[in-house]
Amino acid sequence: MKLYALLGALIVGTMGFLAIIGCGPSMVSFRESTSVLVTGQDDATAVREAIVRALRRSRFTAESEEDGRIVASGGQDGEQLRVAISYTNTQFEITHLESSGLGRTTTETGQEMVSARYDQYMNALSRNIQAELRRPAVEAERNAREDRREARRE
């Protein structure tokens, strides 16, 4: 019987420890927008095309578009995020418009907090845009390597 009591205490203690160190739904400071500098683009058209490809890759859907700005939404499992992506040939900025299912709250000190999933969505979208901006150069380099290999074979 003592073994069961000891085992129960161990389980309860472990669960308490995991709750203290943050296993479970974690919250992060809410940030309204994310800006990223863009290099090597002559015009905003290439940036726009990279954003459109990244939206698809991130499972976001473009809702509307006007010069230098795309509004898109995405999410999964009851989480929805709607953003505006403003862009030029030198930068892009992802701005939060609205969200649901991401546990946005305000602390007693007035700090806005949101589920860590919000940051995951924003960071993934930003990374995907940056990857798509590099894509033409990566593909050109790959094609050049293949051309060199072909030339050696001949």
Side-chain angles (χ1 to χ4, degrees):
M1 198 59 134
K2 284 185 178 182
L3 181 60
Y4 288 115
L6 182 61
L7 187 57
L10 182 62
I11 290 171
V12 169
T14 301
M15 289 173 56
F17 175 73
L18 291 175
I20 290 170
I21 63 168
C23 291
S26 60
M27 302 295 277
V28 296
S29 292
F30 174 75
R31 58 189 164 112
E32 188 80 24
S33 63
T34 300
S35 293
V36 177
L37 292 177
V38 173
T39 58
Q41 301 300 325
D42 294 331
D43 63 53
T45 304
V47 177
R48 180 205 168 276
E49 291 169 357
I51 291 169
V52 169
R53 289 191 307 268
L55 287 171
R56 268 186 259 129
R57 185 173 170 182
S58 301
R59 296 188 178 128
F60 273 70
T61 303
E63 296 177 357
S64 65
E65 182 175 356
E66 54 190 51
D67 286 343
R69 185 173 189 258
I70 298 172
V71 174
S73 61
Q76 59 187 16
D77 300 328
E79 300 168 337
Q80 287 296 312
L81 179 61
R82 190 165 176 254
V83 297
I85 306 169
S86 302
Y87 60 92
T88 66
N89 66 316
T90 60
Q91 75 173 23
F92 68 87
E93 180 176 35
I94 305 170
T95 304
H96 172 270
L97 296 178
E98 61 185 298
S99 58
S100 63
L102 291 167
R104 190 169 166 190
T105 61
T106 304
T107 65
E108 294 170 1
T109 61
Q111 182 179 14
E112 287 191 78
M113 303 294 286
V114 69
S115 165
R117 296 276 298 146
Y118 171 79
D119 262 2
Q120 291 171 359
Y121 284 117
M122 294 288 274
N123 291 336
L125 184 54
S126 179
R127 277 191 315 272
N128 286 339
I129 293 170
Q130 291 174 66
E132 291 297 334
L133 284 166
R134 290 187 301 272
R135 183 178 177 179
V138 169
E139 287 177 355
E141 176 60 31
R142 187 179 321 133
N143 291 340
R145 276 195 312 268
E146 288 174 11
D147 290 346
R148 286 191 299 268
R149 273 190 221 129
E150 287 294 320
R152 283 187 218 136
R153 289 182 197 160
E154 296 174 353

mmCIF file of all heavy atoms in Angstrom, residues 10 18-20 22 30 39 43 50 65 79 85 93 104 112 129 150:
data_model
loop_
_atom_site.group_PDB
_atom_site.id
_atom_site.type_symbol
_atom_site.label_atom_id
_atom_site.label_comp_id
_atom_site.label_asym_id
_atom_site.label_seq_id
_atom_site.Cartn_x
_atom_site.Cartn_y
_atom_site.Cartn_z
ATOM 1 N N LEU A 10 4.474 10.738 -6.284
ATOM 2 C CA LEU A 10 5.443 11.006 -7.339
ATOM 3 C C LEU A 10 4.750 11.548 -8.590
ATOM 4 O O LEU A 10 5.216 12.513 -9.203
ATOM 5 C CB LEU A 10 6.226 9.732 -7.672
ATOM 6 C CG LEU A 10 7.311 9.861 -8.724
ATOM 7 C CD1 LEU A 10 8.380 10.842 -8.273
ATOM 8 C CD2 LEU A 10 7.921 8.509 -9.024
ATOM 9 N N LEU A 18 5.754 19.960 -13.869
ATOM 10 C CA LEU A 18 5.574 20.261 -15.285
ATOM 11 C C LEU A 18 4.694 21.487 -15.481
ATOM 12 O O LEU A 18 4.929 22.293 -16.377
ATOM 13 C CB LEU A 18 4.982 19.053 -16.025
ATOM 14 C CG LEU A 18 5.918 17.849 -16.148
ATOM 15 C CD1 LEU A 18 5.180 16.666 -16.782
ATOM 16 C CD2 LEU A 18 7.157 18.191 -16.935
ATOM 17 N N ALA A 19 3.697 21.658 -14.640
ATOM 18 C CA ALA A 19 2.836 22.842 -14.742
ATOM 19 C C ALA A 19 3.615 24.109 -14.415
ATOM 20 O O ALA A 19 3.457 25.141 -15.058
ATOM 21 C CB ALA A 19 1.636 22.700 -13.805
ATOM 22 N N ILE A 20 4.509 24.006 -13.442
ATOM 23 C CA ILE A 20 5.294 25.177 -13.042
ATOM 24 C C ILE A 20 6.274 25.586 -14.135
ATOM 25 O O ILE A 20 6.450 26.764 -14.425
ATOM 26 C CB ILE A 20 6.047 24.897 -11.721
ATOM 27 C CG1 ILE A 20 5.046 24.830 -10.566
ATOM 28 C CG2 ILE A 20 7.120 25.941 -11.457
ATOM 29 C CD1 ILE A 20 5.632 24.331 -9.266
ATOM 30 N N GLY A 22 6.011 25.222 -17.245
ATOM 31 C CA GLY A 22 5.389 25.758 -18.451
ATOM 32 C C GLY A 22 4.906 24.739 -19.462
ATOM 33 O O GLY A 22 4.656 25.089 -20.596
ATOM 34 N N PHE A 30 1.971 39.817 -26.789
ATOM 35 C CA PHE A 30 1.363 40.054 -28.098
ATOM 36 C C PHE A 30 2.152 41.128 -28.819
ATOM 37 O O PHE A 30 2.478 42.172 -28.257
ATOM 38 C CB PHE A 30 -0.095 40.505 -27.925
ATOM 39 C CG PHE A 30 -0.752 40.913 -29.205
ATOM 40 C CD1 PHE A 30 -1.155 39.956 -30.114
ATOM 41 C CD2 PHE A 30 -0.936 42.248 -29.514
ATOM 42 C CE1 PHE A 30 -1.762 40.326 -31.308
ATOM 43 C CE2 PHE A 30 -1.540 42.628 -30.701
ATOM 44 C CZ PHE A 30 -1.950 41.664 -31.593
ATOM 45 N N THR A 39 16.487 42.383 -49.263
ATOM 46 C CA THR A 39 17.618 42.825 -50.074
ATOM 47 C C THR A 39 17.589 42.118 -51.424
ATOM 48 O O THR A 39 17.030 41.035 -51.559
ATOM 49 C CB THR A 39 18.961 42.513 -49.383
ATOM 50 O OG1 THR A 39 19.033 41.107 -49.146
ATOM 51 C CG2 THR A 39 19.093 43.260 -48.077
ATOM 52 N N ASP A 43 12.269 45.423 -57.758
ATOM 53 C CA ASP A 43 10.933 46.014 -57.675
ATOM 54 C C ASP A 43 10.058 45.191 -56.743
ATOM 55 O O ASP A 43 10.381 44.072 -56.365
ATOM 56 C CB ASP A 43 10.289 46.143 -59.063
ATOM 57 C CG ASP A 43 10.075 44.800 -59.739
ATOM 58 O OD1 ASP A 43 9.458 43.917 -59.126
ATOM 59 O OD2 ASP A 43 10.502 44.643 -60.901
ATOM 60 N N ALA A 50 6.664 36.433 -54.064
ATOM 61 C CA ALA A 50 7.175 35.616 -52.958
ATOM 62 C C ALA A 50 6.138 35.518 -51.839
ATOM 63 O O ALA A 50 5.943 34.440 -51.256
ATOM 64 C CB ALA A 50 8.479 36.202 -52.431
ATOM 65 N N GLU A 65 -6.408 42.400 -52.187
ATOM 66 C CA GLU A 65 -5.091 42.935 -52.530
ATOM 67 C C GLU A 65 -5.260 44.324 -53.127
ATOM 68 O O GLU A 65 -6.174 44.578 -53.901
ATOM 69 C CB GLU A 65 -4.404 42.006 -53.530
ATOM 70 C CG GLU A 65 -3.027 42.428 -53.906
ATOM 71 C CD GLU A 65 -2.318 41.430 -54.792
ATOM 72 O OE1 GLU A 65 -2.864 40.340 -55.068
ATOM 73 O OE2 GLU A 65 -1.200 41.764 -55.231
ATOM 74 N N GLU A 79 -8.295 27.812 -34.530
ATOM 75 C CA GLU A 79 -7.493 29.022 -34.417
ATOM 76 C C GLU A 79 -7.539 29.742 -35.763
ATOM 77 O O GLU A 79 -7.312 29.128 -36.798
ATOM 78 C CB GLU A 79 -6.036 28.683 -34.075
ATOM 79 C CG GLU A 79 -5.895 27.945 -32.778
ATOM 80 C CD GLU A 79 -4.499 27.366 -32.593
ATOM 81 O OE1 GLU A 79 -3.785 27.139 -33.578
ATOM 82 O OE2 GLU A 79 -4.152 27.140 -31.427
ATOM 83 N N ILE A 85 -0.297 42.147 -45.057
ATOM 84 C CA ILE A 85 1.123 42.125 -45.375
ATOM 85 C C ILE A 85 1.395 43.284 -46.332
ATOM 86 O O ILE A 85 0.961 43.264 -47.479
ATOM 87 C CB ILE A 85 1.543 40.790 -46.009
ATOM 88 C CG1 ILE A 85 1.113 39.627 -45.110
ATOM 89 C CG2 ILE A 85 3.055 40.768 -46.255
ATOM 90 C CD1 ILE A 85 1.252 38.271 -45.756
ATOM 91 N N GLU A 93 6.033 43.836 -44.060
ATOM 92 C CA GLU A 93 5.566 43.909 -42.679
ATOM 93 C C GLU A 93 4.264 43.127 -42.566
ATOM 94 O O GLU A 93 3.329 43.346 -43.333
ATOM 95 C CB GLU A 93 5.351 45.357 -42.249
ATOM 96 C CG GLU A 93 4.873 45.492 -40.822
ATOM 97 C CD GLU A 93 4.770 46.938 -40.380
ATOM 98 O OE1 GLU A 93 4.420 47.805 -41.210
ATOM 99 O OE2 GLU A 93 5.031 47.191 -39.204
ATOM 100 N N ARG A 104 -6.119 35.433 -26.538
ATOM 101 C CA ARG A 104 -5.586 36.776 -26.277
ATOM 102 C C ARG A 104 -6.217 37.357 -25.023
ATOM 103 O O ARG A 104 -7.439 37.413 -24.887
ATOM 104 C CB ARG A 104 -5.851 37.663 -27.483
ATOM 105 C CG ARG A 104 -5.150 38.981 -27.427
ATOM 106 C CD ARG A 104 -5.247 39.676 -28.762
ATOM 107 N NE ARG A 104 -4.878 41.067 -28.656
ATOM 108 C CZ ARG A 104 -5.051 41.929 -29.617
ATOM 109 N NH1 ARG A 104 -5.607 41.559 -30.747
ATOM 110 N NH2 ARG A 104 -4.688 43.179 -29.457
ATOM 111 N N GLU A 112 -0.657 42.865 -23.012
ATOM 112 C CA GLU A 112 -1.443 41.926 -23.809
ATOM 113 C C GLU A 112 -0.652 40.638 -24.014
ATOM 114 O O GLU A 112 0.517 40.678 -24.379
ATOM 115 C CB GLU A 112 -1.813 42.527 -25.159
ATOM 116 C CG GLU A 112 -2.885 43.590 -25.062
ATOM 117 C CD GLU A 112 -3.420 43.959 -26.418
ATOM 118 O OE1 GLU A 112 -4.240 43.192 -26.958
ATOM 119 O OE2 GLU A 112 -2.997 44.992 -26.934
ATOM 120 N N ILE A 129 8.029 33.593 -46.269
ATOM 121 C CA ILE A 129 8.201 34.711 -47.211
ATOM 122 C C ILE A 129 9.686 34.889 -47.515
ATOM 123 O O ILE A 129 10.084 35.022 -48.673
ATOM 124 C CB ILE A 129 7.583 36.012 -46.665
ATOM 125 C CG1 ILE A 129 6.058 35.899 -46.592
ATOM 126 C CG2 ILE A 129 7.987 37.207 -47.542
ATOM 127 C CD1 ILE A 129 5.374 37.037 -45.851
ATOM 128 N N GLU A 150 26.041 18.995 -67.102
ATOM 129 C CA GLU A 150 25.698 18.580 -68.474
ATOM 130 C C GLU A 150 26.842 18.896 -69.441
ATOM 131 O O GLU A 150 27.159 18.105 -70.323
ATOM 132 C CB GLU A 150 24.419 19.277 -68.937
ATOM 133 C CG GLU A 150 23.164 18.750 -68.288
ATOM 134 C CD GLU A 150 22.859 17.319 -68.678
ATOM 135 O OE1 GLU A 150 23.039 16.956 -69.850
ATOM 136 O OE2 GLU A 150 22.430 16.557 -67.777
#
